Amino acid sequence: TRRGKMAPAGAPGGVGALRLLLALLALARALLALTERYPALSLLQQELHRQRHGPAGGCASAGEWAEPYSAESDSSFLHFHESDCDIGGSSSCESVLSLNTEKILNQAKLLAEQKRFPFATDDDGTNEELAIAYVLIGNGLYDEAIRHFSTMLQEEPELVSAIYGRGIAYGKKGLHDMKNAELALFELSRVISLEPDHPEVFEQRAEILSPLGRISEALSDLTKAIQLQPSARLYRHRGTLYFISEDYATAHEDFQRSLELNKNQPIAMLYKGLTFFHRGLLKEAIESFKEALKQKADFIDAYKSLGQAYRELGNFDAATESFQKALLLNQNHVQTLQLKGLMLYHHGSLDEALKNFKRCLQLEPYNEVCQYMKGLSHVAMGQFYEGIKAQTKVMLNDPLPGQKASPEYLKVKYLREYSRYLHAHLDTPLTEYNIDADLPGNFKDHWAKNLPFLIENYEEQPGLQPHIKDVLFQNFESYKPEVQELVCVADHLGSMMQYETPGFLPNKRIHRAMGLATLEVMQAVQRTWANSKVRMNGKTRLMQWRDMFDIAVKWRRIADPDQPVLWLDQMPARSLSRGFNNHINLIRGQVINMRYLEYFEKILHFIKDRILVYHGANNPKGLLEVREALEKVHKVEDLLPIMKFNSKTRDGFTVNTKVPSLKDQGKEYDGFTITITGDKVGNILFSVETQTTEERTQLYHAEIDALYKDLTAKGKVLILSAELGEVDAICNLILSLVYYFYNLMPLSRGSSVIAYSVIMGALMASGKEVSGKIPKGKLVDFEAMTAPGSEAFSKIARSWMNLKSISPSYKSLPSVSETFPTLRTMIEVLNTDSSSCLKKTIVVV
């Protein structure tokens, strides 16, 4: 009800003034109004999410590719206006250009008669005036609507519908202007103080708060709205905000409730899948994405998310199929092109990846991920001129003041410097230089730690020299038959190293590189045992254990130049004295690292043992209580209450593993450190890290030196005698040596596959071939790190290796180091298409 009367709709002060106002403003506003097709909110929510999660596809964390799909969701702006007109531009909509006063009045009349706008009054004249302003909002004429509501509020300051409408209009004008946001919030708060029991006002205020980053206030408003009148939409909106806040478990509950109230919601189903995905529950995520596609067959984002989930599982074919379906629905879907390109790069299909990145950049020239990956793909294939040109474009994207630099921007200067170094050395024999010695210490240190490129007195690598040409494509058939055979055998050996565990995508380029590394290690070790010297880093000498690993390091480096594969003990002394941390999060908050799930139980048993030892020594009185509590511990979260038993462990604790020495019986070295901190489920950090300090490195080196000396002596005997007992002893020595290498973790990246190729190559030198695959869920480095000693690791590894006598045909293979003596020849062989290997019968397999 109203206390005063306004001029009726037909009076000069009402509609007459409106006619004149509209006549002057309609044309000026028309084009602008056409651009306001989607609520500003949807775009701002997307922008907010991008800022929080970064652009799509940067691999690390899994959160970056799930942006809000709000363009399709029913924003609560103008829920009251349920006309046939779709703001997205359906055929029933008429262009704003053809709008005239008569139409606006007719729409308003209909709206007023049916009271289809918020807070309608009992007065028909007032309702018609209010309806005109709401129709103006519906047609994108926000300033006119604000003026109209303001005129009404001058006469009646507490007219709730006008206050509410003006708040909506300010919000619709655009929240990028803080003034609009503040005015919108002020008006909506006034409505709440006058009418506190209307859920839509709380929802509306939450819609303004969330893009401003005021998530906790928005959540509070949505909770209030749900208390007043729960609905599928409200639960979905609140779930989305929990999702943005990375509270995936609570978000999941809200999406579940939303779907219980209305099961046909593809967006809610998609988000439910994403809450699973982010917690590492990939199979459950896939089921939800498939369910979303049943509800909406042309749902591009569901196909894209399904592709990403399959990619994380390591299922390349299923991921490719899902990305293809997304692109069939929209060949210009930038995010799908980007994600598909990333997957192809990490599968080793660089040519195909490059096509996706180029297409992505045609559609979105400033896409940093695609630009960086285009540069990286070119360089990996030896096309340095194009690669560095693309990298330089990323370097020009300086972040704005206060803006966080993208991962690509942080990495690109390192990649460009490394690319220049590689190009300059394309035709230098690999035996004559050493990357670890040549690259500046601070450069390596910053690169390995992924720090911003702020290096004092850094002297840039020389630019590209025109006389050094790019790497040309090498046709597989142009290789001699024995070299073709070498490549085919390498492909097979490399595939034996693939982990069958979620998170490990097969990479055929890495397979080939590490297969060739295995063969080169085999040949080098055989030469050493036959008393022959090797040429390494410009010197001819007897091979040491590090030279054996350096063969594999060389191949791993060139297979993917994006990753710094560097020896940590070659870093600057200052940096090494502080220690290098090789850190792995097993559980962070609600995010479970699926790669290591198989080892959670093993690590948990170890922790429980250490807790008992600790309490036995420090708190013998409470030991019984702790023992009883530990019996109830079945998962990591169950340890939280036990941490409260002791004041020192209340906020968390660390446990160190020990690595027994073979050289000095009874002596132990530090293995890795397990850390658990947190106060409740969902707010826990469960991590492992290896700290490489100078002192620890020297202890491990002494152990590896002794084993290598023994290995070489036994190898020389083997070459002369071929006694079976020797082979068995050699096998144990190789596995023991690598056990210490794994526990030392001496490289910044790639230790696992490098060490496994050394195991395979050295075993082949002794006449034994690995014929078994690594079992599903097993990771060789974690097997070594969680084994109680070198003998236990040897036993586990031998159980799956299924060693058999080597085929004589290996002896006839050409020398890997002589066939591929330079970076150019290495890149050529990694680029070549060996699909004809499948047609041949590989003799040695």
PDB file of all heavy atoms in Angstrom, residues 309-333:
ATOM      1  N   ALA A 309      39.066 -35.295 -17.687  1.00  0.00           N
ATOM      2  CA  ALA A 309      39.062 -36.362 -16.671  1.00  0.00           C
ATOM      3  C   ALA A 309      39.733 -37.634 -17.225  1.00  0.00           C
ATOM      4  O   ALA A 309      40.524 -38.271 -16.535  1.00  0.00           O
ATOM      5  CB  ALA A 309      37.625 -36.660 -16.237  1.00  0.00           C
ATOM      6  N   TYR A 310      39.418 -37.970 -18.477  1.00  0.00           N
ATOM      7  CA  TYR A 310      40.066 -39.137 -19.095  1.00  0.00           C
ATOM      8  C   TYR A 310      41.570 -38.904 -19.247  1.00  0.00           C
ATOM      9  O   TYR A 310      42.383 -39.811 -19.078  1.00  0.00           O
ATOM     10  CB  TYR A 310      39.454 -39.438 -20.464  1.00  0.00           C
ATOM     11  CG  TYR A 310      38.177 -40.257 -20.394  1.00  0.00           C
ATOM     12  CD1 TYR A 310      37.014 -39.834 -21.040  1.00  0.00           C
ATOM     13  CD2 TYR A 310      38.136 -41.465 -19.696  1.00  0.00           C
ATOM     14  CE1 TYR A 310      35.843 -40.581 -20.976  1.00  0.00           C
ATOM     15  CE2 TYR A 310      36.976 -42.236 -19.629  1.00  0.00           C
ATOM     16  CZ  TYR A 310      35.826 -41.787 -20.275  1.00  0.00           C
ATOM     17  OH  TYR A 310      34.675 -42.528 -20.217  1.00  0.00           O
ATOM     18  N   ARG A 311      41.924 -37.667 -19.576  1.00  0.00           N
ATOM     19  CA  ARG A 311      43.348 -37.333 -19.708  1.00  0.00           C
ATOM     20  C   ARG A 311      44.069 -37.562 -18.378  1.00  0.00           C
ATOM     21  O   ARG A 311      45.147 -38.132 -18.326  1.00  0.00           O
ATOM     22  CB  ARG A 311      43.483 -35.868 -20.131  1.00  0.00           C
ATOM     23  CG  ARG A 311      44.924 -35.501 -20.406  1.00  0.00           C
ATOM     24  CD  ARG A 311      45.331 -34.211 -19.754  1.00  0.00           C
ATOM     25  NE  ARG A 311      46.767 -34.267 -19.550  1.00  0.00           N
ATOM     26  CZ  ARG A 311      47.573 -33.244 -19.493  1.00  0.00           C
ATOM     27  NH1 ARG A 311      47.104 -32.057 -19.556  1.00  0.00           N
ATOM     28  NH2 ARG A 311      48.853 -33.387 -19.311  1.00  0.00           N
ATOM     29  N   GLU A 312      43.426 -37.112 -17.274  1.00  0.00           N
ATOM     30  CA  GLU A 312      44.022 -37.296 -15.955  1.00  0.00           C
ATOM     31  C   GLU A 312      44.137 -38.778 -15.591  1.00  0.00           C
ATOM     32  O   GLU A 312      45.055 -39.177 -14.886  1.00  0.00           O
ATOM     33  CB  GLU A 312      43.195 -36.573 -14.884  1.00  0.00           C
ATOM     34  CG  GLU A 312      43.368 -35.072 -14.886  1.00  0.00           C
ATOM     35  CD  GLU A 312      44.810 -34.636 -14.619  1.00  0.00           C
ATOM     36  OE1 GLU A 312      45.411 -35.150 -13.660  1.00  0.00           O
ATOM     37  OE2 GLU A 312      45.329 -33.809 -15.377  1.00  0.00           O
ATOM     38  N   LEU A 313      43.189 -39.569 -16.064  1.00  0.00           N
ATOM     39  CA  LEU A 313      43.265 -41.021 -15.821  1.00  0.00           C
ATOM     40  C   LEU A 313      44.382 -41.671 -16.634  1.00  0.00           C
ATOM     41  O   LEU A 313      44.794 -42.779 -16.361  1.00  0.00           O
ATOM     42  CB  LEU A 313      41.939 -41.687 -16.197  1.00  0.00           C
ATOM     43  CG  LEU A 313      40.904 -41.919 -15.108  1.00  0.00           C
ATOM     44  CD1 LEU A 313      39.695 -42.635 -15.679  1.00  0.00           C
ATOM     45  CD2 LEU A 313      41.451 -42.717 -13.933  1.00  0.00           C
ATOM     46  N   GLY A 314      44.841 -40.939 -17.668  1.00  0.00           N
ATOM     47  CA  GLY A 314      45.864 -41.495 -18.555  1.00  0.00           C
ATOM     48  C   GLY A 314      45.266 -42.232 -19.740  1.00  0.00           C
ATOM     49  O   GLY A 314      45.975 -42.940 -20.454  1.00  0.00           O
ATOM     50  N   ASN A 315      43.935 -42.062 -19.978  1.00  0.00           N
ATOM     51  CA  ASN A 315      43.265 -42.748 -21.094  1.00  0.00           C
ATOM     52  C   ASN A 315      43.235 -41.805 -22.303  1.00  0.00           C
ATOM     53  O   ASN A 315      42.314 -41.014 -22.484  1.00  0.00           O
ATOM     54  CB  ASN A 315      41.850 -43.137 -20.671  1.00  0.00           C
ATOM     55  CG  ASN A 315      41.171 -44.011 -21.709  1.00  0.00           C
ATOM     56  OD1 ASN A 315      41.504 -43.972 -22.886  1.00  0.00           O
ATOM     57  ND2 ASN A 315      40.200 -44.800 -21.267  1.00  0.00           N
ATOM     58  N   PHE A 316      44.279 -41.890 -23.131  1.00  0.00           N
ATOM     59  CA  PHE A 316      44.451 -40.956 -24.254  1.00  0.00           C
ATOM     60  C   PHE A 316      43.320 -41.069 -25.274  1.00  0.00           C
ATOM     61  O   PHE A 316      42.778 -40.064 -25.733  1.00  0.00           O
ATOM     62  CB  PHE A 316      45.808 -41.219 -24.929  1.00  0.00           C
ATOM     63  CG  PHE A 316      46.035 -40.369 -26.153  1.00  0.00           C
ATOM     64  CD1 PHE A 316      46.376 -39.032 -26.024  1.00  0.00           C
ATOM     65  CD2 PHE A 316      45.905 -40.911 -27.426  1.00  0.00           C
ATOM     66  CE1 PHE A 316      46.585 -38.238 -27.150  1.00  0.00           C
ATOM     67  CE2 PHE A 316      46.106 -40.132 -28.554  1.00  0.00           C
ATOM     68  CZ  PHE A 316      46.450 -38.801 -28.416  1.00  0.00           C
ATOM     69  N   ASP A 317      42.941 -42.302 -25.630  1.00  0.00           N
ATOM     70  CA  ASP A 317      41.925 -42.491 -26.684  1.00  0.00           C
ATOM     71  C   ASP A 317      40.572 -41.933 -26.263  1.00  0.00           C
ATOM     72  O   ASP A 317      39.906 -41.236 -27.035  1.00  0.00           O
ATOM     73  CB  ASP A 317      41.792 -43.980 -27.049  1.00  0.00           C
ATOM     74  CG  ASP A 317      43.056 -44.499 -27.721  1.00  0.00           C
ATOM     75  OD1 ASP A 317      43.796 -43.667 -28.295  1.00  0.00           O
ATOM     76  OD2 ASP A 317      43.322 -45.709 -27.653  1.00  0.00           O
ATOM     77  N   ALA A 318      40.147 -42.227 -25.024  1.00  0.00           N
ATOM     78  CA  ALA A 318      38.843 -41.738 -24.550  1.00  0.00           C
ATOM     79  C   ALA A 318      38.861 -40.209 -24.438  1.00  0.00           C
ATOM     80  O   ALA A 318      37.874 -39.538 -24.752  1.00  0.00           O
ATOM     81  CB  ALA A 318      38.501 -42.365 -23.201  1.00  0.00           C
ATOM     82  N   ALA A 319      39.998 -39.642 -23.999  1.00  0.00           N
ATOM     83  CA  ALA A 319      40.108 -38.182 -23.883  1.00  0.00           C
ATOM     84  C   ALA A 319      40.007 -37.543 -25.256  1.00  0.00           C
ATOM     85  O   ALA A 319      39.285 -36.556 -25.447  1.00  0.00           O
ATOM     86  CB  ALA A 319      41.431 -37.818 -23.226  1.00  0.00           C
ATOM     87  N   THR A 320      40.715 -38.121 -26.230  1.00  0.00           N
ATOM     88  CA  THR A 320      40.687 -37.584 -27.601  1.00  0.00           C
ATOM     89  C   THR A 320      39.263 -37.590 -28.139  1.00  0.00           C
ATOM     90  O   THR A 320      38.799 -36.607 -28.723  1.00  0.00           O
ATOM     91  CB  THR A 320      41.600 -38.440 -28.520  1.00  0.00           C
ATOM     92  OG1 THR A 320      42.911 -38.443 -27.967  1.00  0.00           O
ATOM     93  CG2 THR A 320      41.641 -37.891 -29.936  1.00  0.00           C
ATOM     94  N   GLU A 321      38.556 -38.685 -27.919  1.00  0.00           N
ATOM     95  CA  GLU A 321      37.172 -38.809 -28.420  1.00  0.00           C
ATOM     96  C   GLU A 321      36.274 -37.717 -27.810  1.00  0.00           C
ATOM     97  O   GLU A 321      35.480 -37.088 -28.511  1.00  0.00           O
ATOM     98  CB  GLU A 321      36.632 -40.205 -28.066  1.00  0.00           C
ATOM     99  CG  GLU A 321      35.296 -40.502 -28.705  1.00  0.00           C
ATOM    100  CD  GLU A 321      34.700 -41.835 -28.217  1.00  0.00           C
ATOM    101  OE1 GLU A 321      35.456 -42.684 -27.686  1.00  0.00           O
ATOM    102  OE2 GLU A 321      33.482 -42.008 -28.355  1.00  0.00           O
ATOM    103  N   SER A 322      36.423 -37.464 -26.507  1.00  0.00           N
ATOM    104  CA  SER A 322      35.589 -36.449 -25.843  1.00  0.00           C
ATOM    105  C   SER A 322      35.906 -35.053 -26.352  1.00  0.00           C
ATOM    106  O   SER A 322      35.006 -34.252 -26.605  1.00  0.00           O
ATOM    107  CB  SER A 322      35.780 -36.506 -24.329  1.00  0.00           C
ATOM    108  OG  SER A 322      35.383 -37.761 -23.845  1.00  0.00           O
ATOM    109  N   PHE A 323      37.204 -34.740 -26.493  1.00  0.00           N
ATOM    110  CA  PHE A 323      37.575 -33.415 -27.020  1.00  0.00           C
ATOM    111  C   PHE A 323      37.052 -33.245 -28.454  1.00  0.00           C
ATOM    112  O   PHE A 323      36.579 -32.173 -28.830  1.00  0.00           O
ATOM    113  CB  PHE A 323      39.099 -33.232 -26.990  1.00  0.00           C
ATOM    114  CG  PHE A 323      39.673 -33.016 -25.614  1.00  0.00           C
ATOM    115  CD1 PHE A 323      40.889 -33.590 -25.249  1.00  0.00           C
ATOM    116  CD2 PHE A 323      39.008 -32.246 -24.668  1.00  0.00           C
ATOM    117  CE1 PHE A 323      41.429 -33.392 -23.977  1.00  0.00           C
ATOM    118  CE2 PHE A 323      39.542 -32.041 -23.393  1.00  0.00           C
ATOM    119  CZ  PHE A 323      40.748 -32.611 -23.052  1.00  0.00           C
ATOM    120  N   GLN A 324      37.120 -34.337 -29.241  1.00  0.00           N
ATOM    121  CA  GLN A 324      36.627 -34.273 -30.629  1.00  0.00           C
ATOM    122  C   GLN A 324      35.131 -33.963 -30.672  1.00  0.00           C
ATOM    123  O   GLN A 324      34.664 -33.176 -31.491  1.00  0.00           O
ATOM    124  CB  GLN A 324      36.885 -35.599 -31.363  1.00  0.00           C
ATOM    125  CG  GLN A 324      38.276 -35.715 -31.936  1.00  0.00           C
ATOM    126  CD  GLN A 324      38.646 -34.518 -32.792  1.00  0.00           C
ATOM    127  OE1 GLN A 324      39.431 -33.665 -32.381  1.00  0.00           O
ATOM    128  NE2 GLN A 324      38.058 -34.405 -33.959  1.00  0.00           N
ATOM    129  N   LYS A 325      34.380 -34.583 -29.756  1.00  0.00           N
ATOM    130  CA  LYS A 325      32.926 -34.350 -29.715  1.00  0.00           C
ATOM    131  C   LYS A 325      32.627 -32.900 -29.362  1.00  0.00           C
ATOM    132  O   LYS A 325      31.706 -32.295 -29.903  1.00  0.00           O
ATOM    133  CB  LYS A 325      32.261 -35.315 -28.730  1.00  0.00           C
ATOM    134  CG  LYS A 325      32.138 -36.723 -29.308  1.00  0.00           C
ATOM    135  CD  LYS A 325      31.527 -37.703 -28.331  1.00  0.00           C
ATOM    136  CE  LYS A 325      31.357 -39.075 -28.970  1.00  0.00           C
ATOM    137  NZ  LYS A 325      31.000 -40.110 -27.997  1.00  0.00           N
ATOM    138  N   ALA A 326      33.405 -32.332 -28.444  1.00  0.00           N
ATOM    139  CA  ALA A 326      33.227 -30.919 -28.080  1.00  0.00           C
ATOM    140  C   ALA A 326      33.488 -30.039 -29.303  1.00  0.00           C
ATOM    141  O   ALA A 326      32.744 -29.095 -29.583  1.00  0.00           O
ATOM    142  CB  ALA A 326      34.161 -30.539 -26.945  1.00  0.00           C
ATOM    143  N   LEU A 327      34.525 -30.370 -30.066  1.00  0.00           N
ATOM    144  CA  LEU A 327      34.892 -29.546 -31.229  1.00  0.00           C
ATOM    145  C   LEU A 327      33.942 -29.759 -32.410  1.00  0.00           C
ATOM    146  O   LEU A 327      33.789 -28.872 -33.251  1.00  0.00           O
ATOM    147  CB  LEU A 327      36.342 -29.821 -31.645  1.00  0.00           C
ATOM    148  CG  LEU A 327      37.388 -29.300 -30.646  1.00  0.00           C
ATOM    149  CD1 LEU A 327      38.776 -29.840 -30.963  1.00  0.00           C
ATOM    150  CD2 LEU A 327      37.398 -27.783 -30.611  1.00  0.00           C
ATOM    151  N   LEU A 328      33.288 -30.918 -32.462  1.00  0.00           N
ATOM    152  CA  LEU A 328      32.259 -31.119 -33.501  1.00  0.00           C
ATOM    153  C   LEU A 328      31.082 -30.192 -33.247  1.00  0.00           C
ATOM    154  O   LEU A 328      30.454 -29.682 -34.176  1.00  0.00           O
ATOM    155  CB  LEU A 328      31.779 -32.577 -33.511  1.00  0.00           C
ATOM    156  CG  LEU A 328      32.683 -33.576 -34.238  1.00  0.00           C
ATOM    157  CD1 LEU A 328      32.186 -35.000 -33.998  1.00  0.00           C
ATOM    158  CD2 LEU A 328      32.727 -33.288 -35.741  1.00  0.00           C
ATOM    159  N   LEU A 329      30.784 -29.962 -31.960  1.00  0.00           N
ATOM    160  CA  LEU A 329      29.671 -29.058 -31.618  1.00  0.00           C
ATOM    161  C   LEU A 329      30.069 -27.599 -31.843  1.00  0.00           C
ATOM    162  O   LEU A 329      29.238 -26.774 -32.198  1.00  0.00           O
ATOM    163  CB  LEU A 329      29.283 -29.259 -30.141  1.00  0.00           C
ATOM    164  CG  LEU A 329      28.612 -30.593 -29.820  1.00  0.00           C
ATOM    165  CD1 LEU A 329      28.592 -30.841 -28.319  1.00  0.00           C
ATOM    166  CD2 LEU A 329      27.178 -30.619 -30.368  1.00  0.00           C
ATOM    167  N   ASN A 330      31.352 -27.290 -31.617  1.00  0.00           N
ATOM    168  CA  ASN A 330      31.827 -25.928 -31.866  1.00  0.00           C
ATOM    169  C   ASN A 330      33.315 -25.991 -32.162  1.00  0.00           C
ATOM    170  O   ASN A 330      34.136 -26.134 -31.259  1.00  0.00           O
ATOM    171  CB  ASN A 330      31.554 -25.026 -30.650  1.00  0.00           C
ATOM    172  CG  ASN A 330      32.112 -23.621 -30.839  1.00  0.00           C
ATOM    173  OD1 ASN A 330      32.622 -23.290 -31.913  1.00  0.00           O
ATOM    174  ND2 ASN A 330      32.017 -22.803 -29.815  1.00  0.00           N
ATOM    175  N   GLN A 331      33.667 -25.897 -33.444  1.00  0.00           N
ATOM    176  CA  GLN A 331      35.081 -26.042 -33.825  1.00  0.00           C
ATOM    177  C   GLN A 331      35.934 -24.876 -33.334  1.00  0.00           C
ATOM    178  O   GLN A 331      37.158 -24.924 -33.365  1.00  0.00           O
ATOM    179  CB  GLN A 331      35.210 -26.174 -35.340  1.00  0.00           C
ATOM    180  CG  GLN A 331      34.675 -24.969 -36.101  1.00  0.00           C
ATOM    181  CD  GLN A 331      34.840 -25.137 -37.604  1.00  0.00           C
ATOM    182  OE1 GLN A 331      35.191 -26.208 -38.067  1.00  0.00           O
ATOM    183  NE2 GLN A 331      34.586 -24.086 -38.349  1.00  0.00           N
ATOM    184  N   ASN A 332      35.262 -23.810 -32.864  1.00  0.00           N
ATOM    185  CA  ASN A 332      35.992 -22.637 -32.377  1.00  0.00           C
ATOM    186  C   ASN A 332      36.015 -22.547 -30.846  1.00  0.00           C
ATOM    187  O   ASN A 332      36.197 -21.471 -30.296  1.00  0.00           O
ATOM    188  CB  ASN A 332      35.357 -21.351 -32.940  1.00  0.00           C
ATOM    189  CG  ASN A 332      35.437 -21.310 -34.449  1.00  0.00           C
ATOM    190  OD1 ASN A 332      36.295 -21.951 -35.039  1.00  0.00           O
ATOM    191  ND2 ASN A 332      34.549 -20.576 -35.077  1.00  0.00           N
ATOM    192  N   HIS A 333      35.809 -23.674 -30.173  1.00  0.00           N
ATOM    193  CA  HIS A 333      35.780 -23.640 -28.709  1.00  0.00           C
ATOM    194  C   HIS A 333      37.225 -23.594 -28.201  1.00  0.00           C
ATOM    195  O   HIS A 333      37.931 -24.605 -28.160  1.00  0.00           O
ATOM    196  CB  HIS A 333      35.048 -24.877 -28.174  1.00  0.00           C
ATOM    197  CG  HIS A 333      34.628 -24.733 -26.744  1.00  0.00           C
ATOM    198  ND1 HIS A 333      35.224 -25.416 -25.720  1.00  0.00           N
ATOM    199  CD2 HIS A 333      33.691 -23.944 -26.158  1.00  0.00           C
ATOM    200  CE1 HIS A 333      34.662 -25.083 -24.570  1.00  0.00           C
ATOM    201  NE2 HIS A 333      33.734 -24.186 -24.807  1.00  0.00           N
TER     202      HIS A 333
END
